[in-house]
Amino acid sequence: MDSGTTPARLIVRKDGAVVQQLELRLERDEWVIGRSAEADLLVEHPSASRRHCAVTRGDDGCIFVTDLGSAHGTRYMGEALAPNTPMRLFDGVTFSLGQSAREYSTEGVPLVPPARPKPTAEPPRRVLGAALPPPRAVQSAGAGVSALAGNDAEDEEAREAFGLPMAFGKHEAPKVPIQSGQDAFQ
């Protein structure tokens, strides 16, 4: 797609000649291909199912083809496509339906899709400490003081949530070498 102004297209060829086209407009995210009159791209071939496959646009802007459990299958680059397994489409990739000689490909679908604008929803609010379990008091060995105890991962998460230094709440005293004599005052 050139800067989002020209919609991508699905091109249908038979013996090299273009016989059908379908614009993949940005307003939609799914197009059904099949024999049904409700299909977005009507296929008049006896080996095509009413809802044979779907071309979809993912949240990241990538285009996919998915066989919808058709009776005669979908071939992706000549290989059978497993039902309900999306396969990425971009210019140069082809697929076909059932026993039909028609070849489907895209035009204007780059390998790396352009960024789609993200919805401007407000991020969820987080109340600090609301989901934290109550601390459990334990007796430190020989020290006679209470400290937080429990899962170290939960303790780290609680300290991070409250913006506390990582050593806060640990029941072990930091190991600092003690100097004695003249060296301690220099």
Side-chain angles (χ1 to χ4, degrees):
M1 299 182 192
D2 334 15
S3 15
T5 57
T6 306
R9 290 190 300 265
L10 183 65
I11 309 293
V12 185
R13 291 183 175 85
K14 183 174 182 180
D15 299 324
V18 175
V19 293
Q20 281 179 296
Q21 291 187 45
L22 175 67
E23 282 192 7
L24 305 177
R25 296 191 171 273
L26 290 175
E27 299 85 35
R28 295 191 55 194
D29 289 329
E30 181 179 65
W31 301 267
V32 174
I33 301 172
R35 280 189 339 217
S36 170
E38 288 84 37
D40 297 294
L41 186 65
L42 185 61
V43 176
E44 295 177 0
H45 192 276
S47 67
S49 296
R50 287 184 295 269
R51 292 179 43 88
H52 196 98
C53 67
V55 173
T56 57
R57 184 186 334 269
D59 290 339
D60 58 359
C62 293
I63 305 288
F64 299 88
V65 62
T66 306
D67 182 89
L68 299 175
S70 63
H72 296 284
T74 302
R75 298 185 77 72
Y76 178 87
M77 296 297 290
E79 298 294 321
L81 182 59
N84 302 309
T85 303
M87 292 298 287
R88 176 94 186 280
L89 291 176
F90 50 88
D91 293 355
V93 171
T94 61
F95 66 96
S96 60
L97 312 181
Q99 304 305 314
S100 173
R102 294 181 182 202
E103 189 172 80
Y104 298 75
S105 63
T106 58
E107 186 176 281
V109 178
L111 179 60
V112 178
R116 289 180 81 179
K118 293 184 180 179
T120 55
E122 188 176 318
R125 295 182 184 192
R126 183 174 177 197
V127 178
L128 296 178
L132 297 177
R136 294 175 294 205
V138 296
Q139 201 67 5
S140 292
V145 292
S146 294
L148 289 176
N151 185 332
D152 284 344
E154 290 174 356
D155 293 346
E156 265 185 47
E157 183 180 45
R159 285 189 290 281
E160 184 179 312
F162 288 103
L164 301 173
M166 293 310 291
F168 182 85
K170 295 279 187 182
H171 58 276
E172 297 176 357
K175 294 182 175 49
V176 178
I178 300 174
Q179 297 179 341
S180 62
Q182 287 287 352
D183 293 338
F185 297 106
Q186 290 180 341

